[in-house]
Structure formats: C-alpha cells, structure tokens
C-alpha cells in the first residue's frame, strides 16, 4: 500500500509544481545570501505519514468503540508525536542560509565544480537533501560555521552560464512529513572555451626560450620576485637564501626575443568557434611551457606576460567573446 501510494503521490506533486508557480516560488534569481523562512518553506505529509495517519484513525475508532482509555491515551500520545515531528521537519529548513558560491574553472562540455556554502543561522539542520543538479546530495549543516557542499554541473557551451534552481528538502526526523523550498542563486559561472585537440604548433619566434637563453649566455641583468609559472632553473638560489622571497634572474636579451604572440588574425582560415578553440589550445600550451605570451583579440589585447593569472585572464577573454 505504501509503495503504490508513493507512486501516485510523486507524479501528483510534480504536476502541481509545474502548474502552480506560487507553490514552487518561481521568481527571479536572488542575490546571496539567501535565507529560508516560514514564508517560503512548504510541508506536506509523505506516503508514510498518510499511512501513519490512517493507523491513528483506526486506533482512535477502536479505542472509542470499546471505551479503552489506555488505547485512547496511546493514540493521543502518538498523535502528539506526529504533530511535533511536523514542527521538527519545518525547523530542519527554517533559518538555513546559502551564504556563498564559488565555481572552479572548466572547459565547455565538461562538468564544472560549484562549491556551495551553507550557514545554520544558530540552528542545526540535519539530513538535508539537495536536488536539481544531477544526482541528489545529502548534507548536515552545523548551527555555527559554514558547511560546504561540492556539486558537479554539466556544461555545454562557453561563456557565462546561469545556475539552475536547487530544491532543498528534508524528511527528518521520522519521514512522516516532507518540507522543501527552492533556491535560485543569482551568481553566474564562467565556462572556458573547449580547446582544440590537435593542430599547428604555437607560433613561437626565434626558436623558443631554451635557445634564447643559450644565446644570451650565463649573464643576467637583474633579479625580480618569483611568479607562478617561472622555470626553477631561473631561480637565483643564493640571492633567495639571503632574503625571505624567491628571486628570479632576468635576461635582457631573453626578454627582447621571448615574444610569443597569439593573434586572432593568425586563425583567419577557421570558423568562428574553431578560431577560439585554437587560441585556447595555444594559450594552454604556452602556459604549460612556462613561456611569456600576448593575446590579440578583435576588440582587446592582453599584453605579454606569463603565469596562472595571465592564463586564466586569457581564457576568460576568449570565453567572453560574443
């Protein structure tokens, strides 16, 4: 009986959520933080709850029919437990906050990892069920501090992507009632373009970094702070030992000759999205080699630089192209 009732109840709930916007809180996305309160939390009995209610009704009729005070007292006690469990289920969502959201980098066509941070608002929130982004996830939120949850969201194309709604629900403590609410976070996530898998090599002038350093000999002109992506062979270990930071040798000749220029015009023979894919591959290969490179786009030029920051800056510029 419980199984058949569950099969009947689930489609009915899904139909109600599609037909009644007021029930599902279909409204524009909200800025963070988002706090759940009594005006946006909904609660209904589950199939188990309906079955328990039928049992209580039978017990009540039997106790009244036979005048059994002990059975009547037990029925009233179980009814009180059910009412209090409904309050506990509601409190499992009440005051819950979604405080922050952070997304990692991802290529189009691959899953992007989105980190959600929940805060209890001074009240613990056990056995939460997060639905809407793939498979359901479960989370316990402490009364204080932030509780992170990592979700993986599929991507299809480059550029800014709106996040789908999240349904957060709970049937704690006994599974007799189900409380739920909707979260529609306003922040968007940026999806990088999918890099070309193979193609011509990066257009490097004068043979690359190793040849240029050999041409310049062992003489170096000055020291600068270490930047992410600098080769370890350029670190001045003795000078770094005398200071608290790593120092890197700079070569005047190497700086003048080390000019990998990635230009939009160099991909003119390709289709629009293929041009972006090739430039994305060139950026990735230049970063992997530890080279310095510049990126020239139709309406923007990123100057010569290297390192993680420059790498993500270039991919961001490619992803934001119209």
């Amino acid at each position: 009986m419980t199984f058949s009732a569950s099969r009947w109840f689930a489609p009915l709930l899904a139909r109600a959520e599609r037909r009644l916007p007021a029930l599902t809180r279909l409204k524009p996305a909200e800025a963070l933080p988002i706090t759940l309160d009594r005006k946006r939390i909904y609660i209904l009995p589950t199939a188990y709850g309906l079955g328990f209610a039928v049992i209580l009704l039978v017990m009540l009729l039997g106790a009244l029919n036979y005048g059994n005070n002990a059975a009547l007292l037990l029925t009233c006690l179980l009814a009180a437990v059910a009412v209090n469990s409904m309050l506990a289920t509601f409190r499992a969502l009440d005051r819950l906050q979604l405080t922050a959201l952070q997304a990692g980098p991802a290529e189009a066509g691959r899953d992007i990892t989105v980190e959600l941070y929940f805060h209890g608002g001074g009240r613990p929130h056990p056995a939460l069920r997060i639905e809407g982004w793939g498979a359901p996830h479960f989370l316990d939120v402490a009364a204080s501090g932030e509780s992170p949850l990592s979700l993986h969201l599929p991507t299809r194309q480059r550029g800014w992507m709106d996040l789908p709604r999240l349904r957060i629900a709970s049937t704690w403590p006994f599974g007799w009632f189900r409380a739920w609410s909707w979260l529609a976070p306003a922040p968007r996530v940026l999806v990088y373009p999918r890099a070309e898998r193979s193609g011509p090599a990066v257009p490097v002038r004068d043979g690359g970094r190793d040849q240029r350093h050999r041409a310049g000999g062992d003489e170096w002109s000055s020291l600068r702070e270490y930047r992410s992506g600098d080769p370890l062979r350029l670190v001045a270990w003795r000078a770094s030992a005398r200071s608290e930071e790593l120092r890197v040798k700079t070569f005047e000749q190497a700086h003048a000759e080390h000019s990998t220029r990635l230009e939009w015009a160099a991909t003119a023979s390709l289709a629009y999205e293929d041009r972006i894919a090739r430039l994305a591959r060139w950026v990735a290969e230049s970063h992997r080699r530890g080279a310095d490179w510049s990126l020239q786009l139709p309406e923007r030029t990123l100057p010569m630089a290297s390192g993680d920051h420059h790498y993500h800056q270039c991919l961001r510029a490619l992803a934001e192209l119209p």
Side-chain angles (χ1 to χ4, degrees):
M1 180 186 66
T2 302
F3 179 72
S4 60
S6 177
R7 292 182 57 187
W8 170 83
F9 183 72
L12 180 62
L13 179 61
R15 182 179 178 85
E17 289 173 347
R18 291 194 303 267
R19 296 287 183 176
L20 303 176
L23 180 64
T24 57
R25 304 292 291 184
L26 288 175
K27 60 181 181 179
E30 305 171 86
L32 300 181
I34 302 175
T35 303
L36 300 183
D37 55 23
R38 60 183 181 83
K39 294 182 179 180
R40 55 186 301 167
I41 298 175
Y42 305 93
I43 186 168
L44 284 174
T46 62
Y48 294 102
L50 293 175
F52 186 72
V54 172
I55 293 175
L56 285 182
L57 180 60
V58 172
M59 290 177 61
L60 178 62
L61 294 176
L64 292 176
N65 184 50
Y66 290 98
N68 191 324
N69 292 333
L72 184 60
L73 177 61
L74 177 61
T75 303
C76 293
L77 287 176
L78 291 177
V81 171
V83 172
N84 280 276
S85 72
M86 180 174 61
L87 177 61
T89 304
F90 168 80
R91 287 168 62 89
L93 296 185
D94 189 35
R95 298 186 188 177
L96 180 67
Q97 295 179 342
L98 175 60
T99 57
L101 183 151
Q102 186 176 2
E107 283 187 358
R110 297 185 177 180
D111 290 352
I112 185 170
T113 300
V114 182
E115 197 85 10
L116 303 176
Y117 295 90
F118 292 93
H119 191 277
R123 175 183 298 169
H125 302 272
L128 299 178
R129 180 185 174 98
I130 314 296
E131 304 170 344
W133 296 3
H137 293 74
F138 299 90
L139 177 68
D140 292 329
V141 179
S144 59
E146 289 188 334
S147 300
L149 176 64
S150 295
L151 300 179
H152 301 284
L153 194 62
T155 62
R156 295 182 179 179
Q157 59 186 12
R158 64 176 179 87
W160 289 102
M161 183 178 72
D162 295 322
L163 295 176
R165 292 188 309 157
L166 280 173
R167 179 166 57 187
I168 183 166
S170 178
T171 58
W172 186 84
F174 300 129
W176 294 340
F177 295 91
R178 181 176 183 270
W180 77 94
S181 186
W182 292 93
L183 300 175
R188 300 185 298 170
V189 296
L190 184 63
V191 180
Y192 289 164
R194 186 172 184 176
E196 184 183 45
R197 294 300 172 238
S198 62
V202 180
V204 180
R205 296 176 56 186
D206 298 324
R209 172 172 286 188
D210 292 340
Q211 179 179 348
R212 287 190 293 272
H213 281 295
R214 288 194 296 269
D218 295 330
E219 298 295 330
W220 48 274
S221 60
S222 61
L223 295 175
R224 61 171 173 81
E225 294 182 358
Y226 177 83
R227 295 182 303 195
S228 177
D230 288 334
L232 293 179
R233 64 176 178 272
L234 298 183
V235 176
W237 297 107
R238 292 183 180 179
S240 300
R242 293 192 294 268
S243 63
E244 297 181 355
E245 298 179 351
L246 287 177
R247 300 291 180 177
V248 178
K249 301 175 184 178
T250 58
F251 297 80
E252 291 183 355
Q253 184 177 357
H255 180 76
E257 295 178 350
H258 188 49
S259 54
T260 300
R261 303 185 184 278
L262 309 181
E263 299 179 348
W264 180 262
T267 61
S269 61
L270 301 176
Y272 187 81
E273 290 297 330
D274 293 337
R275 300 176 77 173
I276 296 175
R278 175 161 296 179
L279 288 174
R281 180 175 64 83
W282 284 352
V283 167
E285 291 183 1
S286 300
H287 176 64
R288 187 164 50 250
R289 293 190 354 255
D292 293 338
W293 75 91
S294 63
L295 179 62
Q296 182 180 5
L297 298 177
E299 298 182 358
R300 183 182 180 186
T301 299
L302 284 80
M304 193 75 63
S306 64
D308 290 340
H309 177 72
H310 186 54
Y311 168 73
H312 290 289
Q313 197 175 28
C314 291
L315 289 183
R316 181 188 181 100
L318 289 171
E320 292 178 336
L321 285 175

